[in-house]
Amino acid sequence: MLTRTEEQAEAPARAVEPYDFRRPTTLAREHSRVLELAFESFARQWGTQLTANVRARSHATFLQVAMHTYDDYAASLPPATTMVLCRLAGDEAKAVIQFPASAALGWMTHMLGGSGERVEPERTFTEIEQQLLRALLDDLLDDLQYSLGRVLPARPEFDSLHHTAQFAQAAPTSALMIVASFIVECADRETTATLALPADAVLRGLGESNPVVATDRARSLVAAQIELTPVPLGIGLAPVPVTPQDILELAVGDVIPLAHAASEPFLVTVDGRAVGRAAIGRTGNRLACTITETLEIL
């Protein structure tokens, strides 16, 4: 029959990830799945409308969705890129559609009947190019609102166009953003694009259309998780009060009298607090301890 210690040793180790409650940058599994389905639908719509507008075979593929602060998101973008800021009803933070200017210039070349073989450098758009881009964005924003449905009930509206991530301040640096990344292929040329939405607006919609858990279960769920959180358990002697001078004068061969009686059990501590007493023994070729007393923890 296995002891509890042996059972724990044979059980597979649980993967534990640190979680900072001051920066909750992790999406709930249920929310992630809803967003993945929505962004996959958006990618299909994007590929279809791009094909119709530029008259060249186009395809968009959804890669992943994650939650980041706006500062982290902006820092991950190239210094020179196209960032389209869009207003959301009821939110000060703006949505961001980001893609390379060279890719957008290629789309416009196809719209005007060109072959698109020449790769344009990263540069600002002319007035005519901005109008062509606005035509593409109008369809894209319609597709975004259609794909997200109740998660984003109001259609985003075009606000401004920027060519440098450093100066496009769509939200406060610490604001959380839902960031989806895509691969957009047009006429055999691939590019990476991202879509960033304010987390407050998205999570507000997700909470209404797909609540994760009822609030009355929150306490029991937190308690259950805390019970499974690993903590270091120590077995030791009772502490001995000494002065700083005693510590500074320690030398090899010194003898320190202990306040712990030879017949007294050892202390069982967690994070420096005594939770019980134990007698030292052996199990196989390893040391072990037997709990002889538990202490009340306030």
Side-chain angles (χ1 to χ4, degrees):
M1 181 177 179
L2 294 177
T3 64
R4 183 177 180 182
T5 303
E6 291 170 333
E7 289 177 350
Q8 292 175 341
E10 289 191 359
R14 289 171 54 90
V16 178
E17 297 182 5
Y19 187 83
D20 189 348
F21 285 92
R22 295 169 298 182
R23 297 182 64 189
T25 55
T26 302
L27 280 169
R29 184 180 305 171
E30 294 83 356
H31 288 170
S32 293
R33 185 55 184 157
V34 172
L35 291 174
E36 287 170 1
L37 293 174
F39 289 131
E40 286 172 359
S41 173
F42 173 65
R44 291 191 297 270
Q45 297 288 336
W46 191 354
T48 299
Q49 69 92 358
L50 194 58
T51 299
N53 281 297
V54 306
R55 295 184 293 278
R57 183 177 61 83
S58 304
H59 181 73
T61 304
F62 165 68
L63 295 180
Q64 63 179 0
V65 61
M67 188 185 293
H68 302 288
T69 62
Y70 180 77
D71 190 37
D72 292 340
Y73 167 64
S76 69
L77 301 177
T81 189
T82 299
M83 296 182 69
V84 180
L85 273 55
C86 302
R87 298 185 303 273
L88 298 176
D91 287 275
E92 293 185 3
K94 298 178 176 63
V96 179
I97 304 174
Q98 176 271 328
F99 44 80
S102 58
L105 290 169
W107 302 339
M108 295 177 219
T109 300
H110 284 290
M111 293 175 69
L112 298 175
S115 63
E117 294 179 357
R118 182 173 180 268
V119 179
E120 296 286 342
E122 292 292 319
R123 61 172 177 81
T124 59
F125 300 130
T126 65
E127 290 294 332
I128 294 177
E129 289 167 345
Q130 290 185 32
Q131 293 304 315
L132 291 173
L133 183 60
R134 286 288 302 272
L136 290 175
L137 290 173
D138 284 341
D139 290 340
L140 191 61
L141 294 176
D142 287 337
D143 293 336
L144 179 60
Q145 197 275 326
Y146 171 80
S147 300
L148 291 179
R150 290 183 58 188
V151 176
L152 197 67
R155 180 186 185 276
E157 298 297 334
F158 176 84
D159 181 80
S160 57
L161 184 66
H162 297 267
H163 296 279
T164 306
Q166 180 181 359
F167 299 111
Q169 194 62 39
T173 56
S174 60
L176 294 176
M177 306 290 284
I178 305 294
V179 181
S181 55
F182 304 85
I183 292 291
V184 182
E185 180 183 353
C186 180
D188 298 326
R189 183 176 296 172
E190 289 186 354
T191 189
T192 302
T194 61
L195 169 65
L197 300 170
D200 287 344
V202 175
L203 295 179
R204 185 166 60 242
L206 285 172
E208 295 174 357
S209 61
N210 187 44
V212 179
V213 292
T215 55
D216 56 357
R217 293 188 56 204
R219 183 181 180 87
S220 62
L221 290 174
V222 171
Q225 186 63 36
I226 291 177
E227 291 175 356
L228 298 176
T229 303
V231 294
L233 182 71
I235 309 295
L237 305 172
V240 179
V242 296
T243 64
Q245 183 178 0
D246 295 332
I247 298 297
L248 295 174
E249 295 177 352
L250 283 177
V252 177
D254 286 353
V255 176
I256 301 176
L258 301 177
H260 200 104
S263 59
E264 185 177 351
F266 290 86
L267 288 176
V268 180
T269 61
V270 175
D271 195 24
R273 299 187 61 179
V275 297
R277 302 182 187 277
I280 298 298
R282 181 183 297 273
T283 174
N285 59 352
R286 294 178 179 272
L287 290 175
C289 66
T290 301
I291 302 298
T292 59
E293 181 185 0
T294 57
L295 302 179
E296 183 177 357
I297 303 174
L298 300 178

